[in-house]
Amino acid sequence: MTTLAHYLNTPTIDPALSDVITTITDVGKTISQLLRKGALADILGEAGNQNVQGEDQKKLDVLANDLLLDALAQNAHCAGVASEELDHATPANADGSLLVLFDPLDGSSNIDINMAVGTIFSILPYQRQGQVSTDSDFLQAGNQQLAAGYLLYGTSTMLALTVADTVVMFSLDPDSGDYVLIEEAVQIDADTSEYAINGSNYRYWRAPMQQYIDELIDGHTGVRGRDFNTRWVAAMVGDVHRILCRGGLFTYPFDTKDIKKPGKLRLMYEANPMSLLIERAGGSATDAVNRILDIEPTDIHQRVPVVLGSKNEVEYVKNLHVQHANA
Ligand code: AHG
Ligand code: MN
Ligand code: MN
C-alpha cells in the first residue's frame, strides 16, 4: 500500500513541493469531514456576499477558502496564494519558492443538493524569492506549473495529482485518514462517445460548437455514424474526474450570454490545472483553437473557453472551428 506521504517522499520531487501539496491535501481532509456532516455542521446556504466576479458566495466557498488560505500562509515554502474567492493574491512567506492558486470549492451549486464538489489547485514557481509577492508574479502560463490536482468530494474523497510526468490517483481512507494510491498512471482513451456540456446555452454558442453538438445529437443517423451520450455533473471537477476514469469530452465553450465573460471557467485555477492533468494523462485541452497551457495570462481571474478530454474528440472540435474560420 502506498500512501500520499510515501509517494511524495522521493528524491525526484522537490521537498518544498511535497510540503505544499501535503498542506493542501490535509485541508482537503477537513473540508471532506465538513461535507460529510453537511447540514448538521451549519455549512450549507449562502454566505450573503459576492466574490470579485459577481458570483454569490456559499458559506462553504468562504470556509474552504479560509481554511486553505490560513494553512498555506503558515507554510514556509508558500510565497503567495491566489483564489477564486479573493480579489487579489495574498502574499505569504517572501522566502518561499512556490505560488499556489486554487478554486477552494468547485461546483458550489452542488453543495446544497448533496452532490459532488471539489477543490482544484495549481502550483507555480516563485521567481522573486525574498520579496513580497504580488498579483503579477502569478501571471505565468499553465505550462510553467510544477504541480496540479484536485480533490473530489464525492461518494468517496479522491485526489488526482500530477507532480511528475504521470497522473496519479489516491482515495482517502476514512478509517486511517491516509490518501492511498489507487492508480499509478492514469491514461485517457483517444476516442469516446460521451460528452459534457450545459446545452441550455446553445443559442449563445458560436456556429462550430452548435454544429458539433448537432452532429452528436444526430448520433448514428448523422455524419458521426454512432450514438453519443451526455453526462453533466455541473462541477468541472466531477466531469474531469469522469474523463480521467473512462474518457470523454468536456466543454464550457465561448458564449455570448454575458459579453464580459468569454467562457465561464477561470484560466488560472480551473482550466490550467485541469489541462495539465488531462494532457499528462494523454488527452488534450484547448480553448477551441489554442492549447490552454500556452495562454499567457493577463489577469489572475481571467476566463477562457475550455474543450478538454479524449484526444481525437478534442481534435474534431478544433477542426470544426478551423474550418468555420476559413470558410
Ligand atoms: P464554481 O462553483 O467554482 O464557481 O465553478 C462552477 C463551474 C464549473 O465547475 C461547472 O462546470 C460550471 O460552473 C457549471 O456552471 P453552469 O451550471 O452555470 O453551467
Ligand atoms: Mn469552479
Ligand atoms: Mn469555486
Side-chain angles (χ1 to χ4, degrees):
M1 186 183 84
T2 305
T3 63
L4 178 64
H6 286 130
Y7 177 81
L8 291 174
N9 185 19
T10 150
T12 53
I13 302 178
D14 172 14
L17 208 46
S18 296
D19 199 44
V20 165
I21 292 167
T22 302
T23 296
I24 297 167
T25 51
D26 279 350
V27 173
K29 292 180 194 176
T30 308
I31 298 172
S32 172
Q33 278 166 354
L34 284 168
L35 282 162
R36 256 195 306 172
K37 275 218 154 208
L40 306 178
D42 191 28
I43 54 164
L44 307 186
E46 306 295 324
N49 30 329
Q50 290 191 332
N51 65 18
V52 65
Q53 304 163 67
E55 296 160 340
D56 291 332
Q57 290 178 314
K58 299 276 187 186
K59 278 188 201 164
L60 208 59
D61 285 325
V62 177
L63 199 58
N65 181 68
D66 292 352
L67 287 168
L68 282 163
L69 189 60
D70 292 350
L72 286 164
Q74 287 172 38
N75 187 306
H77 304 292
C78 178
V81 176
S83 160
E84 179 189 348
E85 307 302 339
L86 300 169
D87 300 9
H88 292 286
T90 305
N93 302 297
D95 290 332
S97 58
L98 303 170
L99 299 172
V100 182
L101 298 105
F102 53 80
D103 176 352
L105 229 283
D106 177 63
S108 309
S109 71
N110 275 358
I111 302 170
D112 295 344
I113 55 167
N114 208 19
M115 292 292 142
V117 291
T119 299
I120 309 171
F121 59 92
S122 161
I123 305 178
L124 289 165
Y126 182 47
Q127 315 287 10
R128 295 192 308 118
Q129 252 177 294
Q131 299 176 63
V132 177
S133 66
T134 64
D135 280 13
S136 59
D137 292 305
F138 288 77
L139 302 180
Q140 307 178 43
N143 57 34
Q144 299 299 305
Q145 290 173 103
L146 300 171
Y150 63 75
L151 285 144
L152 172 67
Y153 314 109
T155 45
S156 60
T157 293
M158 287 204 181
L159 164 70
L161 175 71
T162 181
V163 64
D165 294 341
T166 53
V167 175
V168 285
M169 227 178 251
F170 296 83
S171 188
L172 178 61
D173 180 344
D175 296 327
S176 67
D178 288 327
Y179 290 98
V180 179
L181 185 71
I182 52 164
E183 187 67 60
E184 273 180 72
V186 178
Q187 279 296 315
I188 304 170
D189 285 347
D191 292 297
T192 182
S193 294
E194 210 162 55
Y195 69 100
I197 192 166
N198 183 344
S200 65
N201 293 321
Y202 182 95
R203 69 188 182 283
Y204 301 114
W205 300 334
R206 285 177 166 150
M209 188 51 73
Q210 289 178 330
Q211 182 187 328
Y212 175 62
I213 298 302
D214 288 345
E215 288 182 7
L216 300 190
I217 290 170
D218 285 344
H220 73 271
T221 66
V223 294
R224 298 301 302 268
R226 66 180 201 275
D227 289 340
F228 287 78
N229 195 25
T230 313
R231 283 287 179 268
W232 181 250
V233 179
M236 183 194 203
V237 73
D239 287 305
V240 168
H241 186 70
R242 185 186 59 255
I243 291 172
L244 289 178
C245 291
R246 64 176 193 215
L249 179 130
F250 166 87
T251 178
Y252 214 109
F254 174 93
D255 67 44
T256 55
K257 196 172 182 176
D258 180 343
I259 219 69
K260 294 189 295 296
K261 299 177 182 173
K264 178 171 183 186
L265 299 173
R266 277 57 57 108
L267 174 65
M268 300 213 65
Y269 40 82
E270 292 178 318
N272 273 342
M274 293 313 205
S275 297
L276 193 67
L277 289 167
I278 292 288
E279 283 201 5
R280 294 245 174 105
S284 298
T286 163
D287 66 0
V289 182
N290 303 303
R291 183 184 181 222
I292 286 178
L293 293 177
D294 290 337
I295 297 173
E296 293 293 338
T298 53
D299 187 303
I300 52 174
H301 296 295
Q302 85 189 62
R303 294 172 192 262
V304 66
V306 172
V307 183
L308 59 75
S310 292
K311 213 181 185 94
N312 293 343
E313 202 58 28
V314 173
E315 195 60 29
Y316 190 91
V317 176
K318 207 165 135 179
N319 284 338
L320 284 179
H321 283 77
V322 172
Q323 283 164 25
H324 275 258
N326 294 336

